[in-house]
Amino acid sequence: MKTASILVLSAFLLAGCATPTTRYNQSDAKEVTEEQKKQQVIAIRTYQKHLARLMDVGYPILVKNRPLCEDQVRPSLGMNVKSKELYKEEFQAVYGEAYGLADRFRITLVPRGSSAHEAGLRVGDEILAANGKPLDAGDATAEKWAAAAGEYTMGTPVTFRLLRDGKEIEATATPKEICGYGIDLVAADAVNAMADGKNIILTYGMLRFVETDLELATVLSHELAHNIMAHREAALQNAKVGGAVGLVFDIAAAAFGVNTQGAFTRAGMNAGSRHKSQEFEMEADYVGLYLLAQAGYPVDGAPDFWRRMAAGHPESIEESLHGSHPSSAQRYTALEKTVAEINDKRAQGKPLQPEQRDIKPEPGETSAPAPSVNEITSR
């Protein structure tokens, strides 16, 4: 009875709501479905366009900084290859149209500086055979690709027979050893970039924000530095330490009959994860500028990125020192000093490598490993 009364009251109230006054056009279900497919194709092509720019800028950074990545390396030709059979059946038509896929493997990405690029492979080339093993039409599966192309081996050439503009050609590419971190792109509006220890991830928002290849390279080098310096692992270790301290308080509270439900442990983990986070960011800025220089990008204008960031996000100019990131003013001034340091080393003919700290970590503090002196994944 009570429910019925509520429904009657709701209907009465809704009857008094305003309604549209024009006879606007309606779409039928078939029209909507067709338009959805068109928009999906547009979205995929837009993603691919952004990814191509990202890889053109980022791939040389992975190549040139291979020595600093130590054992986190892999042989790579640098190209992306796709086929309709790589997707679930319900998505094959959309991805097939977006990438121009037929019945064979097709090259969809060839970053600048990659072995594939240097060997003359192009986006749109269809692959007929790899290392003499034919890739039959209509059988472009991941298993078929693995059987024909195999695992790339450093220094071992891979010969492709290609179909380009109706003509068969051959091209041979030799894999390069590169930093083994993936570069990926996510469709999010936030101006953000991140490193998870295995990948470098940028958002659409960040790609729209950066105006030049130098700015984009500065961001990518910063995130690569996070991975090389193992900052995520250090933050996780700090979180564990903080959680262990919090657990002591949870146990103590339980001894007095107070159930905290792990509140102190969670607070400790949060505090631990933020411990030294600003220092890790400053270190990634510092090491990242060296990575940028090693990749052949000019470093003189790199700090200006933080002035533009300040203009677009004024709250970053005087961000609290208790925040996870330094202020844009701190980052700019520190990077200006790093630019001078790098230019001075160049003038003196010294190796471009970051300076190491002489001090030992504080008691209970975990420091990320320093860089030595001495394939790209995408959706």
Side-chain angles (χ1 to χ4, degrees):
M1 187 60 125
K2 186 177 180 180
T3 302
S5 299
I6 293 175
L7 291 174
V8 171
L9 178 60
S10 298
F12 177 76
L13 292 174
L14 291 174
C17 292
T19 60
T21 59
T22 62
R23 193 178 63 187
Y24 57 86
N25 293 313
Q26 296 276 3
S27 301
D28 61 39
K30 182 180 179 181
E31 290 174 330
V32 172
T33 299
E34 290 177 353
E35 179 59 23
Q36 285 175 337
K37 291 180 180 178
K38 291 178 181 179
Q39 292 185 13
Q40 287 170 343
V41 169
I42 293 171
I44 294 168
R45 288 176 176 171
T46 299
Y47 173 86
Q48 188 67 12
K49 181 185 71 174
H50 290 323
L51 183 64
R53 181 195 175 196
L54 187 59
M55 305 309 288
D56 277 345
V57 174
Y59 197 88
I61 297 173
L62 298 182
V63 172
K64 298 293 186 180
N65 287 291
R66 178 259 168 268
L68 284 176
C69 291
E70 298 184 335
D71 59 345
Q72 189 61 40
V73 296
R74 72 174 70 178
S76 169
L77 291 179
M79 65 183 189
N80 279 6
V81 176
K82 298 187 185 298
S83 73
K84 288 193 296 185
E85 282 71 25
L86 297 179
Y87 300 97
K88 293 182 179 179
E89 187 173 352
E90 60 265 35
F91 300 126
Q92 288 183 5
V94 170
Y95 278 94
E97 182 178 350
Y99 289 118
L101 304 176
D103 295 326
R104 298 186 183 278
F105 288 103
R106 181 182 288 266
I107 298 175
T108 58
L109 189 70
V110 183
R112 291 196 304 255
S114 66
S115 298
H117 180 260
E118 293 171 355
L121 278 73
R122 299 179 188 173
V123 170
D125 287 347
E126 291 188 13
I127 303 177
L128 304 178
N131 287 328
K133 297 179 181 179
L135 291 164
D136 300 326
D139 191 19
T141 63
E143 292 76 17
K144 191 71 175 182
W145 176 258
E151 292 292 330
Y152 300 145
T153 303
M154 180 61 186
T156 302
V158 182
T159 299
F160 295 101
R161 185 158 54 88
L162 308 167
L163 184 64
R164 179 187 298 168
D165 299 328
K167 297 180 181 179
E168 291 190 17
I169 61 172
E170 279 198 358
T172 299
T174 302
K176 294 180 180 181
E177 199 164 56
I178 68 170
C179 290
Y181 300 106
I183 297 180
D184 204 359
L185 178 65
V186 294
D189 288 332
V191 180
N192 198 12
M194 61 209 81
D196 63 6
K198 296 181 179 180
N199 301 286
I200 298 167
I201 305 163
L202 270 70
T203 63
Y204 275 20
M206 178 61 79
L207 273 187
R208 285 193 291 266
F209 179 80
V210 293
E211 292 184 343
T212 64
D213 285 353
L214 175 60
E215 288 189 346
L216 179 54
T218 300
V219 173
L220 289 167
S221 296
H222 171 89
E223 299 303 333
L224 177 60
H226 273 311
N227 282 340
I228 289 176
M229 304 303 292
H231 286 162
R232 183 175 184 272
E233 291 81 354
L236 289 174
Q237 177 63 27
N238 290 346
K240 289 180 181 178
V241 173
V245 173
L247 179 61
V248 172
F249 286 94
D250 282 327
I251 293 173
F256 287 94
V258 179
N259 183 4
T260 63
Q261 297 183 333
F264 285 113
T265 300
R266 291 192 298 273
M269 291 184 68
N270 184 54
S273 66
R274 296 172 73 88
H275 181 62
K276 299 296 181 181
S277 62
Q278 288 201 22
E279 287 92 332
F280 289 151
E281 289 297 328
M282 295 293 283
E283 184 174 50
D285 282 351
Y286 175 69
V287 174
L289 212 59
Y290 275 90
L291 302 181
L292 190 71
Q294 290 283 16
Y297 287 96
V299 297
D300 288 25
D304 291 338
F305 172 81
W306 290 106
R307 284 183 168 174
R308 281 216 320 107
M309 182 65 77
H313 303 270
E315 68 278 6
S316 70
I317 299 174
E318 299 181 36
E319 186 171 329
S320 168
L321 293 178
H322 297 293
S324 61
H325 288 61
S327 70
S328 56
Q330 284 178 287
R331 303 181 86 158
Y332 177 88
T333 53
L335 281 172
E336 280 283 274
K337 293 179 181 179
T338 307
V339 168
E341 180 179 302
I342 290 173
N343 287 337
D344 184 59
K345 286 181 179 180
R346 278 175 168 161
Q348 298 183 49
K350 294 182 178 180
L352 294 184
Q353 57 193 50
E355 297 296 316
Q356 304 300 314
R357 298 172 66 188
D358 294 327
I359 61 175
K360 296 180 179 180
E362 299 171 3
E365 177 179 301
T366 301
S367 62
S372 72
V373 296
N374 323 304
E375 159 111 316
I376 289 179
T377 59
S378 68
R379 292 186 303 196

